[in-house]
Amino acid sequence: MDAKTYNAQLAELRVLRDDIKKSQAALAKLETDRARQITALAGYEKAKAERIAPAAGLSLADVVAIAPILAPDRLTTAPPAAQSIPVQPTPQPGAGPAPTSVAEESPGRSGTVAPDMTRPTPEPAPSRHSETNASDTAPEPASVAGPATQTPGRCSTDPVAPQAQTPPTALAPPVRTGEQRDLPGVPEGPDGDRWFAHTEILTSTHPNFTQQARSTVFLDTQTGVLVHRDQTFRLDLPTASAAEILNTVFHVLPDGVERIYITAGAPWHRVADQHPFLKDAVGAWLNASTPGWRTDTGRGKDRMAGHFVHPRNPVGRYQRENGEQHVEIRSAGEWFDTEGTEPAIIRDAFVLLWKALRRHWPDAVLMGSPSQTGRDLWTRTVPTKGQYADGYPVLSEELRGLFHATAGQGRTELITPPRVPQQLPALVEYDRTFAYAKHTWKSGVGTPRRVTAATFASWSQKEQTKALFACGHWHVRVTVPDTWNHVGILPAPAPGDRAWHYPAAPGHTFTTWAGGPEIYTALSNPLGPWKIEILDGILFDDGKPLDDWSKKLKEAWASLTAQADLNGDPAQRTAAHLASRAVRAILLYGIGAFAQRPRTVTGTTPRTAERDVPTDAEIIGFNDETITWQRPTGFTRDPNAHPEWAAHIWSSARAALLSQRHREDDTYAGALHTPPGTVVAFRTDAVYLTQPQPWPYHGQPGDYLNKGHLTGPVIAPASEDELLALRDRGRSTQQPTTTPEAP
């Protein structure tokens, strides 16, 4: 073979590679659609796997794996937990380790049974916040009965939003009974003990510099309306390419700007029909040729390098080829829903937001994203005196990796027939207002302690209760009570990358990691305690590293909410409402930023130099000119990485979805205080029921707001899309409440 033939066959191989990638994407979509259709058919009371299998081109086993309710009676001696369908993205091939069978699970390491908290036991000494917060996510030990129940860019380091805060768009096939994803644990003996330390010379400290504000404009690429301070322009953007936006904006504003917020138009989606996935379309838009500009390599203390490829809220970073000007193109949708809002009102919302934050942080600056802003504002609350005057040290990389792999985020779950009726009498949505702000009053600080099963067993019941009530993360073996007839309480790893489900089948046993608030709820819930065996644990001292930051944000949120309720100008009411939503995003995504996910480098390489693509990279997109790829790079030395704080807040929020005490009303709210069979879905901060509940609402963080009520009969949703459609219908028909609605 000569060089000419070799190069020709290489070109043919590239074409085959591109065709295979497109075919794989199309096949994955078809298989997902097939799983959805099978799930929908399984809802029919007379549906049989024997008829569905040949129609789907699958074996009986494959059909039953997708829809376990179709399994023959002889295979389902107990109600399978798999009927609770986690709404997660469809797992891709190779997304996680091979699942193991819980039914055949070996006993593994021995555990110590946690105490029954439904019996009176001395309560740990409360902090000064305990009267309003300490037991809001679970009933008190001595009073657990509650109400009676009835039967080419470079690496991007911009954490725009935690993944779990962006609801997934696809419904995965149900989890097969008896399968789960393996979770890592702490090694036995000295190897594991070495994990319980901090990373050397890596500490969250108060900054010694002042952030610099950036000149910002707001652009609607549909109408061409551009707002800069008190000026409004109208631009002609026939293609709305990055190059066209940059050159046109800088022609109108020759002195230049540093940040362009796109308020409407989503120009990165204009050619979405030419790509198999939105992310491919976004990558192509960001990496298209921009004459006179190149990808920005970053500058300043908040250095951000390269583009950030996100399917809906991407970030493009550019600089003049002469290096004199730097500019970001971002989506205002990172902060709040901008649909139907004019750029001038969005500008007013950012002004109101800045003013509200300045009342608490004199040096506050709005950065590009809520997560950046939240993290920057938090660092300005790090104490300069007292115990943590030198800052908060960062956990070892091993423990950070463990939290990343074992601490899930918001609970997203759809419960389908026969666990709920095929015809729902109603669908009622209860959403927790500013939920995460309710759970920031306490977080773990100090050097973590390892609590082995033997150590836990050596403690008194009072010490065990105190430990489970504190800030901790526990490796546990869980058994659902034989008489259980309600929703699951603790998350269990499901097949797929970072997928979780909530087993509820009586007698089912599984091993998982869970936070203290959820463990406490499982042991003290109003329906009866679960059996929890402590295998291992990570225990922190209780501290308040987020309390000051959260209080200031809650005050800013309350002020803006009041403006939204009372302002007589409709435009200003809208601006204040959007600003209050932005405060919520700052706290929500700021918490997500503490989790510090392992970084992924996104890059581009000319197709003429494809041999330069890193050997460990995954190709995620391509066009005639460039190849777009990504590869994981692990954890960076982020001085503000505190996944233990994010994990505790997420655990507290999930527990409050199940049981939350309202002291001032002497009552409880949450899914476990509803009759069995009435919970249809969980969606991060919201629960969907078939009956309205008399839960109190005072517009405070954590309160359950009735946001929608759709009267029945309603066909039970079989997919997330169906649930969202019913949710929107319920919101549109909801009558105004007497209590002002908080964002």
Side-chain angles (χ1 to χ4, degrees):
M1 179 182 295
D2 56 20
K4 182 177 180 181
T5 304
Y6 176 78
N7 290 329
Q9 291 191 8
L10 272 181
E12 293 176 2
L13 187 59
R14 295 186 190 105
V15 173
L16 285 174
R17 176 199 64 193
D18 295 351
D19 290 343
I20 290 171
K21 183 174 178 62
K22 292 177 181 178
S23 299
Q24 287 174 334
L27 178 60
K29 183 178 183 303
L30 290 172
E31 290 178 340
T32 300
D33 291 342
R34 178 173 64 183
R36 287 177 176 170
Q37 188 70 16
I38 291 172
T39 302
L41 288 170
Y44 177 54
E45 61 182 0
K46 296 183 179 180
K48 293 183 178 180
E50 291 82 355
R51 292 197 61 188
I52 295 176
L58 296 173
S59 68
L60 287 176
D62 290 336
V63 170
V64 171
I66 294 172
I69 62 174
L70 296 174
D73 293 339
R74 65 180 182 276
L75 299 181
T76 54
T77 56
Q83 291 169 2
S84 175
I85 303 175
V87 183
Q88 295 285 351
T90 302
Q92 298 297 318
T100 59
S101 172
V102 175
E104 300 175 1
E105 181 182 353
S106 61
R109 65 174 71 178
S110 60
T112 299
V113 178
D116 180 356
M117 293 188 181
T118 59
R119 300 177 181 176
T121 186
E123 187 172 354
S127 68
R128 64 183 178 88
H129 282 273
S130 62
E131 184 171 346
T132 56
N133 291 299
S135 359
D136 285 345
T137 59
E140 295 176 295
S143 176
V144 298
T149 58
Q150 307 172 25
T151 54
R154 293 190 179 182
C155 171
S156 170
T157 58
D158 185 11
V160 173
Q163 292 179 353
Q165 309 311 327
T166 303
T169 57
L171 179 67
V175 177
R176 188 177 303 176
T177 303
E179 289 191 356
Q180 70 172 37
R181 182 179 75 257
D182 282 336
L183 291 181
V186 181
E188 300 278 7
D191 288 342
D193 294 340
R194 281 193 288 269
W195 290 18
F196 289 76
H198 293 114
T199 302
E200 294 183 1
I201 320 176
L202 193 62
T203 307
S204 306
T205 58
H206 196 286
N208 58 4
F209 65 94
T210 301
Q211 288 287 0
Q212 299 299 311
R214 295 191 177 184
S215 176
T216 302
V217 297
F218 302 88
L219 173 63
D220 183 334
T221 58
Q222 285 181 321
T223 63
V225 173
L226 175 74
V227 174
H228 177 235
R229 298 178 180 171
D230 58 351
Q231 296 179 292
T232 301
F233 306 91
R234 189 170 293 275
L235 310 183
D236 182 22
L237 300 171
T239 65
S241 66
E244 188 176 68
I245 290 172
L246 291 169
N247 293 324
T248 306
V249 168
F250 276 77
H251 176 74
V252 172
L253 300 169
D255 291 337
V257 296
E258 295 176 278
R259 184 174 295 135
I260 301 172
Y261 275 122
I262 305 299
T263 64
W268 36 79
H269 291 165
R270 289 200 174 185
V271 292
D273 58 344
Q274 300 176 19
H275 299 271
F277 299 106
L278 278 181
K279 197 168 184 179
D280 293 339
V282 171
W285 187 88
L286 289 171
N287 293 302
S289 176
T290 51
W293 299 84
R294 66 172 184 265
T295 301
D296 198 349
T297 55
R299 61 197 173 99
K301 291 185 178 295
D302 59 336
R303 182 180 296 262
M304 292 293 168
H307 304 314
F308 179 76
V309 182
H310 185 276
R312 301 196 179 278
N313 296 314
V315 182
R317 300 186 179 95
Y318 303 91
Q319 66 180 114
R320 289 282 195 188
E321 289 185 345
N322 58 19
E324 293 180 356
Q325 292 171 314
H326 303 252
V327 62
E328 290 181 329
I329 299 178
R330 310 187 71 111
S331 168
E334 295 179 55
W335 294 83
F336 41 67
D337 182 6
T338 63
E339 185 175 357
T341 307
E342 297 176 358
I345 295 177
I346 293 176
R347 178 225 27 219
D348 292 345
F350 275 88
V351 172
L352 289 174
L353 171 64
W354 176 75
K355 289 181 178 179
L357 295 176
R358 279 271 170 155
R359 296 189 187 101
H360 304 284
W361 287 277
D363 56 349
V365 170
L366 296 183
M367 302 181 70
S369 70
S371 61
Q372 288 176 282
T373 305
R375 187 164 48 182
D376 179 68
L377 293 177
W378 173 77
T379 62
R380 297 174 193 282
T381 66
V382 174
T384 55
K385 298 180 180 179
Q387 181 180 3
Y388 291 101
D390 294 330
Y392 295 100
V394 174
L395 294 179
S396 67
E397 184 170 335
E398 290 84 0
L399 279 188
R400 280 182 280 150
L402 183 69
F403 272 101
H404 168 67
T406 62
Q409 300 182 26
R411 179 169 182 167
T412 308
E413 180 183 22
L414 180 64
I415 301 171
T416 58
R419 293 185 61 193
V420 296
Q422 184 68 45
Q423 294 279 341
L424 306 180
L427 185 67
V428 189
E429 177 190 9
Y430 286 94
D431 186 74
R432 298 185 66 228
T433 296
F434 205 9
Y436 285 3
K438 177 76 171 179
H439 308 295
T440 53
W441 65 278
K442 180 176 76 169
S443 301
V445 293
T447 303
R449 290 169 287 160
R450 182 175 190 178
V451 181
T452 63
T455 300
F456 191 82
S458 69
W459 290 347
S460 67
Q461 181 175 342
K462 180 179 178 180
E463 291 172 320
Q464 292 177 347
T465 301
K466 183 177 179 180
L468 295 175
F469 194 73
C471 297
H473 194 55
W474 301 93
H475 196 191
V476 292
R477 185 182 298 116
V478 183
T479 301
V480 182
D482 290 336
T483 58
W484 192 256
N485 64 348
H486 218 295
V487 297
I489 293 181
L490 294 174
D497 184 25
R498 295 190 59 78
W500 301 88
H501 67 134
Y502 296 81
H508 184 64
T509 297
F510 59 96
T511 300
T512 190
W513 283 84
E518 289 170 290
I519 298 291
Y520 190 88
T521 300
L523 293 169
S524 65
N525 73 85
L527 305 180
W530 287 31
K531 181 182 178 182
I532 307 291
E533 298 174 76
I534 303 298
L535 305 177
D536 214 340
I538 305 168
L539 189 62
F540 297 87
D541 293 332
D542 290 349
K544 300 182 180 298
L546 305 178
D547 194 40
D548 186 32
W549 174 70
S550 176
K551 282 182 176 178
K552 291 178 177 179
L553 289 177
K554 283 186 282 190
E555 289 174 10
W557 170 81
S559 172
L560 291 166
T561 298
Q563 291 183 54
D565 291 336
L566 302 175
N567 199 303
D569 183 345
Q572 287 302 300
R573 282 203 304 271
T574 300
H577 171 73
L578 294 179
S580 71
R581 297 294 292 178
V583 174
R584 175 185 178 275
I586 288 173
L587 185 135
L588 179 73
Y589 296 149
I591 291 169
F594 286 125
Q596 196 227 11
R597 302 303 183 195
R599 304 297 187 186
T600 298
V601 175
T602 301
T604 58
T605 301
R607 295 194 72 152
T608 56
E610 66 178 61
R611 68 181 61 186
D612 295 334
V613 174
T615 56
D616 59 343
E618 175 191 2
I619 296 176
I620 60 174
F622 45 81
N623 56 33
D624 293 338
E625 298 178 356
T626 61
I627 299 170
T628 304
W629 47 266
Q630 67 179 19
R631 63 185 179 91
T633 59
F635 293 101
T636 61
R637 287 184 59 84
D638 183 351
N640 298 317
H642 293 284
E644 68 277 18
W645 298 349
H648 184 76
I649 292 170
W650 292 335
S651 178
S652 299
R654 292 193 300 267
L657 276 178
L658 300 171
S659 184
Q660 172 176 282
R661 185 179 182 190
H662 292 261
R663 288 179 176 270
E664 62 278 14
D665 298 286
D666 192 24
T667 189
Y668 293 87
L672 292 181
H673 301 281
T674 65
T678 60
V679 179
V680 177
F682 294 96
R683 193 172 162 76
T684 309
D685 300 333
V687 59
Y688 296 82
L689 308 171
T690 62
Q691 298 177 4
Q693 301 295 318
W695 296 338
Y697 183 77
H698 304 294
Q700 297 300 310
D703 285 358
Y704 279 91
L705 172 65
N706 184 349
K707 294 187 70 172
H709 187 163
L710 188 63
T711 57
V714 179
I715 298 176
S719 67
E720 189 194 28
D721 289 342
E722 293 180 10
L723 174 67
L724 296 182
L726 293 175
R727 179 202 66 181
D728 294 342
R729 286 173 53 196
R731 289 182 178 181
S732 65
T733 59
Q734 171 75 1
Q735 296 296 319
T737 59
T738 56
T739 305
E741 179 175 336

